Amino acid sequence: MTSLLLLSHPVLFAQHKSLQVGLKGGLNLSSLQLADPAIPAGRTKLGLNLGATVSYYLKANLFLQSGLSLTSKGMKLRGTSSLGFGDNSVLPGREASLISQQWYGQIPLYLGYALPLGGAIKLVFNAGPYVAYGLGGKTRLTGDIVYDDVIDYGTWEEPTFGKRGLQRLDVGIGAEVGIELGRATIGLAYEVGLRDISPTQWVYIPFYPTSYKNRLLSLSIQHRL
């Protein structure tokens, strides 16, 4: 009952010196680490992040930060031949693309430090692990698609996650540097996915590499309540 009362009144957290809550949102630029050098570069995709943060101050400027966010990841691939098939199977020189949209619920656990610069300005650093779970998304392939023993150029769309798609669970590490101006903090963060989330079964959609690990660069604004 006490927990429900506190969660329904976030201002009570903000007034506590050791525990603070906030809202956070911004833009993501996501990509992936590939083990296959044949897949072309230019794989970044623009996305969003939005969520709530909870910070617990261990000392005056040393804190633990967690929370829950809805974040968009994924990638775009484009090439001039069908990726995933050799030139002996398809005609080369055909324009092909894959757009993978991934929506995650993500929880970080970061250790942070706020370095006072004078006045209400602080330089903030934090880093640590995160865990994310794939909530949904669509993957769209345009290119030479195999239908039984026929290859036809067209567009195919399937859920990003599922038994023929990427694995839902992702874990990794992240780090962020930011400028705190009063109640607001502008931060630049980078995340490295450590878990290979490539499909565990036969890959129906081409382009999914044998190893798929998320990479993410984000710019966000956090506001303490």
PDB file of all heavy atoms in Angstrom, residues 45-70:
ATOM      1  N   LYS A  45      19.545   3.561 -38.354  1.00  0.00           N
ATOM      2  CA  LYS A  45      18.115   3.837 -38.404  1.00  0.00           C
ATOM      3  C   LYS A  45      17.749   4.801 -37.279  1.00  0.00           C
ATOM      4  O   LYS A  45      18.194   4.638 -36.143  1.00  0.00           O
ATOM      5  CB  LYS A  45      17.319   2.540 -38.272  1.00  0.00           C
ATOM      6  CG  LYS A  45      15.816   2.720 -38.376  1.00  0.00           C
ATOM      7  CD  LYS A  45      15.122   1.375 -38.239  1.00  0.00           C
ATOM      8  CE  LYS A  45      13.618   1.561 -38.338  1.00  0.00           C
ATOM      9  NZ  LYS A  45      13.115   2.467 -37.274  1.00  0.00           N
ATOM     10  N   LEU A  46      16.930   5.789 -37.577  1.00  0.00           N
ATOM     11  CA  LEU A  46      16.506   6.790 -36.599  1.00  0.00           C
ATOM     12  C   LEU A  46      15.338   6.262 -35.779  1.00  0.00           C
ATOM     13  O   LEU A  46      14.438   5.607 -36.316  1.00  0.00           O
ATOM     14  CB  LEU A  46      16.102   8.082 -37.308  1.00  0.00           C
ATOM     15  CG  LEU A  46      15.871   9.321 -36.427  1.00  0.00           C
ATOM     16  CD1 LEU A  46      17.162   9.734 -35.737  1.00  0.00           C
ATOM     17  CD2 LEU A  46      15.326  10.469 -37.271  1.00  0.00           C
ATOM     18  N   GLY A  47      15.335   6.522 -34.477  1.00  0.00           N
ATOM     19  CA  GLY A  47      14.262   6.065 -33.601  1.00  0.00           C
ATOM     20  C   GLY A  47      14.043   7.011 -32.434  1.00  0.00           C
ATOM     21  O   GLY A  47      14.625   8.104 -32.376  1.00  0.00           O
ATOM     22  N   LEU A  48      13.231   6.571 -31.475  1.00  0.00           N
ATOM     23  CA  LEU A  48      12.846   7.390 -30.321  1.00  0.00           C
ATOM     24  C   LEU A  48      13.055   6.618 -29.030  1.00  0.00           C
ATOM     25  O   LEU A  48      13.084   5.390 -29.026  1.00  0.00           O
ATOM     26  CB  LEU A  48      11.373   7.797 -30.422  1.00  0.00           C
ATOM     27  CG  LEU A  48      10.928   8.588 -31.642  1.00  0.00           C
ATOM     28  CD1 LEU A  48       9.403   8.699 -31.647  1.00  0.00           C
ATOM     29  CD2 LEU A  48      11.553   9.974 -31.658  1.00  0.00           C
ATOM     30  N   ASN A  49      13.170   7.353 -27.927  1.00  0.00           N
ATOM     31  CA  ASN A  49      13.133   6.745 -26.600  1.00  0.00           C
ATOM     32  C   ASN A  49      12.333   7.636 -25.666  1.00  0.00           C
ATOM     33  O   ASN A  49      12.389   8.868 -25.748  1.00  0.00           O
ATOM     34  CB  ASN A  49      14.542   6.489 -26.053  1.00  0.00           C
ATOM     35  CG  ASN A  49      15.302   7.769 -25.776  1.00  0.00           C
ATOM     36  OD1 ASN A  49      15.124   8.401 -24.735  1.00  0.00           O
ATOM     37  ND2 ASN A  49      16.174   8.162 -26.703  1.00  0.00           N
ATOM     38  N   LEU A  50      11.573   7.014 -24.776  1.00  0.00           N
ATOM     39  CA  LEU A  50      10.718   7.746 -23.840  1.00  0.00           C
ATOM     40  C   LEU A  50      10.531   6.890 -22.598  1.00  0.00           C
ATOM     41  O   LEU A  50      10.227   5.694 -22.703  1.00  0.00           O
ATOM     42  CB  LEU A  50       9.358   8.046 -24.469  1.00  0.00           C
ATOM     43  CG  LEU A  50       8.352   8.799 -23.595  1.00  0.00           C
ATOM     44  CD1 LEU A  50       8.865  10.199 -23.281  1.00  0.00           C
ATOM     45  CD2 LEU A  50       6.989   8.873 -24.286  1.00  0.00           C
ATOM     46  N   GLY A  51      10.712   7.502 -21.413  1.00  0.00           N
ATOM     47  CA  GLY A  51      10.539   6.713 -20.206  1.00  0.00           C
ATOM     48  C   GLY A  51      10.674   7.514 -18.936  1.00  0.00           C
ATOM     49  O   GLY A  51      10.702   8.751 -18.944  1.00  0.00           O
ATOM     50  N   ALA A  52      10.770   6.792 -17.823  1.00  0.00           N
ATOM     51  CA  ALA A  52      10.912   7.383 -16.498  1.00  0.00           C
ATOM     52  C   ALA A  52      12.203   6.880 -15.860  1.00  0.00           C
ATOM     53  O   ALA A  52      12.636   5.755 -16.115  1.00  0.00           O
ATOM     54  CB  ALA A  52       9.722   7.017 -15.618  1.00  0.00           C
ATOM     55  N   THR A  53      12.819   7.720 -15.035  1.00  0.00           N
ATOM     56  CA  THR A  53      14.064   7.359 -14.359  1.00  0.00           C
ATOM     57  C   THR A  53      13.891   7.457 -12.846  1.00  0.00           C
ATOM     58  O   THR A  53      13.088   8.245 -12.339  1.00  0.00           O
ATOM     59  CB  THR A  53      15.221   8.285 -14.787  1.00  0.00           C
ATOM     60  OG1 THR A  53      14.913   9.630 -14.413  1.00  0.00           O
ATOM     61  CG2 THR A  53      15.429   8.220 -16.297  1.00  0.00           C
ATOM     62  N   VAL A  54      14.676   6.650 -12.136  1.00  0.00           N
ATOM     63  CA  VAL A  54      14.745   6.701 -10.671  1.00  0.00           C
ATOM     64  C   VAL A  54      16.214   6.745 -10.288  1.00  0.00           C
ATOM     65  O   VAL A  54      16.988   5.877 -10.697  1.00  0.00           O
ATOM     66  CB  VAL A  54      14.074   5.475 -10.025  1.00  0.00           C
ATOM     67  CG1 VAL A  54      14.182   5.557  -8.507  1.00  0.00           C
ATOM     68  CG2 VAL A  54      12.616   5.373 -10.440  1.00  0.00           C
ATOM     69  N   SER A  55      16.607   7.754  -9.525  1.00  0.00           N
ATOM     70  CA  SER A  55      18.003   7.923  -9.105  1.00  0.00           C
ATOM     71  C   SER A  55      18.087   7.872  -7.587  1.00  0.00           C
ATOM     72  O   SER A  55      17.326   8.569  -6.893  1.00  0.00           O
ATOM     73  CB  SER A  55      18.579   9.253  -9.612  1.00  0.00           C
ATOM     74  OG  SER A  55      18.528   9.315 -11.013  1.00  0.00           O
ATOM     75  N   TYR A  56      19.008   7.064  -7.072  1.00  0.00           N
ATOM     76  CA  TYR A  56      19.239   6.975  -5.634  1.00  0.00           C
ATOM     77  C   TYR A  56      20.656   7.462  -5.349  1.00  0.00           C
ATOM     78  O   TYR A  56      21.630   6.885  -5.839  1.00  0.00           O
ATOM     79  CB  TYR A  56      19.067   5.549  -5.129  1.00  0.00           C
ATOM     80  CG  TYR A  56      19.306   5.414  -3.643  1.00  0.00           C
ATOM     81  CD1 TYR A  56      18.351   5.836  -2.720  1.00  0.00           C
ATOM     82  CD2 TYR A  56      20.503   4.888  -3.162  1.00  0.00           C
ATOM     83  CE1 TYR A  56      18.573   5.727  -1.366  1.00  0.00           C
ATOM     84  CE2 TYR A  56      20.735   4.772  -1.805  1.00  0.00           C
ATOM     85  CZ  TYR A  56      19.764   5.202  -0.909  1.00  0.00           C
ATOM     86  OH  TYR A  56      19.989   5.104   0.442  1.00  0.00           O
ATOM     87  N   TYR A  57      20.775   8.523  -4.545  1.00  0.00           N
ATOM     88  CA  TYR A  57      22.072   9.135  -4.261  1.00  0.00           C
ATOM     89  C   TYR A  57      22.729   8.448  -3.068  1.00  0.00           C
ATOM     90  O   TYR A  57      22.226   8.478  -1.950  1.00  0.00           O
ATOM     91  CB  TYR A  57      21.905  10.630  -4.013  1.00  0.00           C
ATOM     92  CG  TYR A  57      21.813  11.403  -5.311  1.00  0.00           C
ATOM     93  CD1 TYR A  57      20.628  11.429  -6.037  1.00  0.00           C
ATOM     94  CD2 TYR A  57      22.921  12.062  -5.826  1.00  0.00           C
ATOM     95  CE1 TYR A  57      20.541  12.106  -7.244  1.00  0.00           C
ATOM     96  CE2 TYR A  57      22.847  12.747  -7.029  1.00  0.00           C
ATOM     97  CZ  TYR A  57      21.661  12.760  -7.739  1.00  0.00           C
ATOM     98  OH  TYR A  57      21.584  13.433  -8.937  1.00  0.00           O
ATOM     99  N   LEU A  58      23.882   7.817  -3.341  1.00  0.00           N
ATOM    100  CA  LEU A  58      24.658   7.161  -2.300  1.00  0.00           C
ATOM    101  C   LEU A  58      25.427   8.180  -1.476  1.00  0.00           C
ATOM    102  O   LEU A  58      25.601   8.031  -0.267  1.00  0.00           O
ATOM    103  CB  LEU A  58      25.632   6.165  -2.930  1.00  0.00           C
ATOM    104  CG  LEU A  58      24.988   5.105  -3.839  1.00  0.00           C
ATOM    105  CD1 LEU A  58      26.071   4.330  -4.593  1.00  0.00           C
ATOM    106  CD2 LEU A  58      24.115   4.172  -3.035  1.00  0.00           C
ATOM    107  N   LYS A  59      25.922   9.212  -2.175  1.00  0.00           N
ATOM    108  CA  LYS A  59      26.600  10.345  -1.552  1.00  0.00           C
ATOM    109  C   LYS A  59      26.108  11.609  -2.256  1.00  0.00           C
ATOM    110  O   LYS A  59      25.193  11.546  -3.074  1.00  0.00           O
ATOM    111  CB  LYS A  59      28.119  10.208  -1.671  1.00  0.00           C
ATOM    112  CG  LYS A  59      28.698   9.027  -0.904  1.00  0.00           C
ATOM    113  CD  LYS A  59      30.222   8.992  -1.008  1.00  0.00           C
ATOM    114  CE  LYS A  59      30.794   7.826  -0.209  1.00  0.00           C
ATOM    115  NZ  LYS A  59      32.273   7.775  -0.296  1.00  0.00           N
ATOM    116  N   ALA A  60      26.729  12.717  -1.969  1.00  0.00           N
ATOM    117  CA  ALA A  60      26.257  13.997  -2.509  1.00  0.00           C
ATOM    118  C   ALA A  60      26.169  13.984  -4.032  1.00  0.00           C
ATOM    119  O   ALA A  60      25.189  14.446  -4.609  1.00  0.00           O
ATOM    120  CB  ALA A  60      27.175  15.123  -2.045  1.00  0.00           C
ATOM    121  N   ASN A  61      27.174  13.425  -4.723  1.00  0.00           N
ATOM    122  CA  ASN A  61      27.194  13.450  -6.180  1.00  0.00           C
ATOM    123  C   ASN A  61      27.321  12.065  -6.812  1.00  0.00           C
ATOM    124  O   ASN A  61      27.472  11.956  -8.023  1.00  0.00           O
ATOM    125  CB  ASN A  61      28.352  14.339  -6.670  1.00  0.00           C
ATOM    126  CG  ASN A  61      28.153  15.791  -6.303  1.00  0.00           C
ATOM    127  OD1 ASN A  61      27.123  16.376  -6.584  1.00  0.00           O
ATOM    128  ND2 ASN A  61      29.155  16.369  -5.634  1.00  0.00           N
ATOM    129  N   LEU A  62      27.272  11.006  -5.996  1.00  0.00           N
ATOM    130  CA  LEU A  62      27.383   9.631  -6.485  1.00  0.00           C
ATOM    131  C   LEU A  62      26.016   8.970  -6.383  1.00  0.00           C
ATOM    132  O   LEU A  62      25.386   8.990  -5.329  1.00  0.00           O
ATOM    133  CB  LEU A  62      28.405   8.858  -5.651  1.00  0.00           C
ATOM    134  CG  LEU A  62      28.698   7.424  -6.093  1.00  0.00           C
ATOM    135  CD1 LEU A  62      29.412   7.406  -7.444  1.00  0.00           C
ATOM    136  CD2 LEU A  62      29.545   6.712  -5.032  1.00  0.00           C
ATOM    137  N   PHE A  63      25.542   8.371  -7.480  1.00  0.00           N
ATOM    138  CA  PHE A  63      24.175   7.852  -7.487  1.00  0.00           C
ATOM    139  C   PHE A  63      24.047   6.597  -8.332  1.00  0.00           C
ATOM    140  O   PHE A  63      24.874   6.316  -9.212  1.00  0.00           O
ATOM    141  CB  PHE A  63      23.208   8.926  -8.009  1.00  0.00           C
ATOM    142  CG  PHE A  63      23.483   9.368  -9.418  1.00  0.00           C
ATOM    143  CD1 PHE A  63      22.866   8.764 -10.504  1.00  0.00           C
ATOM    144  CD2 PHE A  63      24.369  10.417  -9.670  1.00  0.00           C
ATOM    145  CE1 PHE A  63      23.118   9.178 -11.800  1.00  0.00           C
ATOM    146  CE2 PHE A  63      24.629  10.839 -10.964  1.00  0.00           C
ATOM    147  CZ  PHE A  63      23.998  10.207 -12.036  1.00  0.00           C
ATOM    148  N   LEU A  64      23.008   5.830  -8.041  1.00  0.00           N
ATOM    149  CA  LEU A  64      22.562   4.717  -8.866  1.00  0.00           C
ATOM    150  C   LEU A  64      21.327   5.168  -9.638  1.00  0.00           C
ATOM    151  O   LEU A  64      20.460   5.844  -9.075  1.00  0.00           O
ATOM    152  CB  LEU A  64      22.212   3.499  -8.016  1.00  0.00           C
ATOM    153  CG  LEU A  64      23.365   2.762  -7.339  1.00  0.00           C
ATOM    154  CD1 LEU A  64      22.815   1.705  -6.382  1.00  0.00           C
ATOM    155  CD2 LEU A  64      24.273   2.111  -8.372  1.00  0.00           C
ATOM    156  N   GLN A  65      21.251   4.797 -10.911  1.00  0.00           N
ATOM    157  CA  GLN A  65      20.096   5.207 -11.718  1.00  0.00           C
ATOM    158  C   GLN A  65      19.506   4.007 -12.448  1.00  0.00           C
ATOM    159  O   GLN A  65      20.221   3.197 -13.031  1.00  0.00           O
ATOM    160  CB  GLN A  65      20.491   6.273 -12.736  1.00  0.00           C
ATOM    161  CG  GLN A  65      19.293   6.838 -13.490  1.00  0.00           C
ATOM    162  CD  GLN A  65      19.683   7.991 -14.401  1.00  0.00           C
ATOM    163  OE1 GLN A  65      20.088   7.777 -15.537  1.00  0.00           O
ATOM    164  NE2 GLN A  65      19.579   9.200 -13.892  1.00  0.00           N
ATOM    165  N   SER A  66      18.177   3.917 -12.393  1.00  0.00           N
ATOM    166  CA  SER A  66      17.458   2.896 -13.122  1.00  0.00           C
ATOM    167  C   SER A  66      16.192   3.534 -13.695  1.00  0.00           C
ATOM    168  O   SER A  66      16.097   4.758 -13.801  1.00  0.00           O
ATOM    169  CB  SER A  66      17.131   1.708 -12.206  1.00  0.00           C
ATOM    170  OG  SER A  66      16.561   0.652 -12.964  1.00  0.00           O
ATOM    171  N   GLY A  67      15.230   2.706 -14.058  1.00  0.00           N
ATOM    172  CA  GLY A  67      14.002   3.218 -14.636  1.00  0.00           C
ATOM    173  C   GLY A  67      13.454   2.260 -15.668  1.00  0.00           C
ATOM    174  O   GLY A  67      13.879   1.100 -15.772  1.00  0.00           O
ATOM    175  N   LEU A  68      12.512   2.736 -16.444  1.00  0.00           N
ATOM    176  CA  LEU A  68      11.888   1.942 -17.493  1.00  0.00           C
ATOM    177  C   LEU A  68      11.644   2.832 -18.701  1.00  0.00           C
ATOM    178  O   LEU A  68      11.092   3.925 -18.568  1.00  0.00           O
ATOM    179  CB  LEU A  68      10.571   1.345 -17.010  1.00  0.00           C
ATOM    180  CG  LEU A  68       9.764   0.548 -18.043  1.00  0.00           C
ATOM    181  CD1 LEU A  68      10.540  -0.678 -18.495  1.00  0.00           C
ATOM    182  CD2 LEU A  68       8.410   0.149 -17.464  1.00  0.00           C
ATOM    183  N   SER A  69      12.068   2.382 -19.870  1.00  0.00           N
ATOM    184  CA  SER A  69      11.896   3.185 -21.074  1.00  0.00           C
ATOM    185  C   SER A  69      11.359   2.334 -22.212  1.00  0.00           C
ATOM    186  O   SER A  69      11.580   1.128 -22.272  1.00  0.00           O
ATOM    187  CB  SER A  69      13.218   3.835 -21.498  1.00  0.00           C
ATOM    188  OG  SER A  69      14.148   2.857 -21.916  1.00  0.00           O
ATOM    189  N   LEU A  70      10.648   2.989 -23.104  1.00  0.00           N
ATOM    190  CA  LEU A  70      10.237   2.408 -24.377  1.00  0.00           C
ATOM    191  C   LEU A  70      11.187   2.967 -25.419  1.00  0.00           C
ATOM    192  O   LEU A  70      11.249   4.181 -25.624  1.00  0.00           O
ATOM    193  CB  LEU A  70       8.793   2.799 -24.706  1.00  0.00           C
ATOM    194  CG  LEU A  70       8.248   2.291 -26.047  1.00  0.00           C
ATOM    195  CD1 LEU A  70       8.141   0.780 -26.054  1.00  0.00           C
ATOM    196  CD2 LEU A  70       6.888   2.933 -26.342  1.00  0.00           C
TER     197      LEU A  70
END
